Amino acid sequence: MNTAKKIFLASILALFIVGCQSSSGPTKEQLIKDLKSVYELLSNGEHMAALEHFKGPDDIPKERLAKDLKGLIKKREISEKGIEILDKNGKFGKLNEIFPDRSKRWMERNEITTPDDCYGLGYKNAEVAAYWTGSKFLLIRLDDVGKL
């Protein structure tokens, strides 16, 4: 095989490897990363910015949803320690597999019609449900993570 052909094949292989590494998908690691971002924003009082990580019904004003986010840390719905415990012990997968008895209700409440785009992360009483947009998660349920 000549040198030019070897360089060409090596370039194709390098592009393939880089492309595979840079693609982000609906993974537990991505959901944990998003939860950490939400916690940081809420801790800093940036409720409107945190709202960008949530999906709610289209007919509810964003200001009202942002107001509802203000109490999440105080109510212990999210905490840094809880996120760490979820990362270590939580079970991640399709929402209807992680929370089979409640997933349909959560999707309906948030006007989601594509169950394949919904994922869950749970451990003990902690519940996280999220909608995958194709590039990021939007939370549709966040419950008791701070109580772990």
Side-chain angles (χ1 to χ4, degrees):
M1 189 180 304
N2 66 28
T3 305
K5 201 172 197 179
K6 287 180 184 176
I7 292 172
F8 174 76
L9 291 175
S11 298
I12 296 296
L13 180 60
L15 286 172
F16 176 76
I17 291 170
V18 169
C20 289
Q21 289 176 345
S22 65
S23 65
S24 177
T27 62
K28 180 179 179 180
E29 292 76 21
Q30 181 63 46
L31 186 51
I32 292 293
K33 179 181 170 188
D34 291 345
L35 287 170
K36 288 178 179 179
S37 295
V38 168
Y39 179 75
E40 183 177 333
L41 291 167
L42 293 174
S43 294
N44 293 326
E46 298 178 45
H47 302 99
M48 286 302 287
L51 187 59
E52 298 301 316
H53 291 273
F54 288 82
K55 177 175 180 9
D58 295 332
D59 61 340
I60 298 178
K62 285 192 175 221
E63 293 76 20
R64 180 175 157 216
L65 292 172
K67 183 180 175 187
D68 292 343
L69 296 182
K70 289 182 181 182
L72 290 181
I73 292 176
K74 187 176 182 180
K75 293 177 187 174
R76 296 177 41 210
E77 302 297 358
I78 188 170
S79 72
E80 194 169 23
K81 180 182 175 189
I83 295 168
E84 290 174 14
I85 292 170
L86 271 180
D87 189 17
K88 183 177 179 182
N89 302 310
K91 183 177 178 186
F92 174 82
K94 293 287 187 177
L95 185 60
N96 59 3
E97 294 171 2
I98 303 299
F99 303 109
D101 54 335
R102 295 172 293 219
S103 61
K104 185 177 179 183
R105 184 177 70 229
W106 295 341
M107 289 186 310
E108 287 172 354
R109 186 182 308 152
N110 290 281
E111 301 171 350
I112 298 170
T113 58
T114 53
D116 283 345
D117 294 329
C118 294
Y119 293 83
L121 176 60
Y123 180 68
K124 296 187 178 181
N125 290 334
E127 301 170 334
V128 177
Y131 172 74
W132 178 250
T133 67
S135 60
K136 68 177 185 174
F137 281 112
L138 296 178
L139 300 174
I140 61 172
R141 181 163 180 85
L142 180 61
D143 191 40
D144 291 346
V145 174
K147 295 175 185 168
L148 289 175

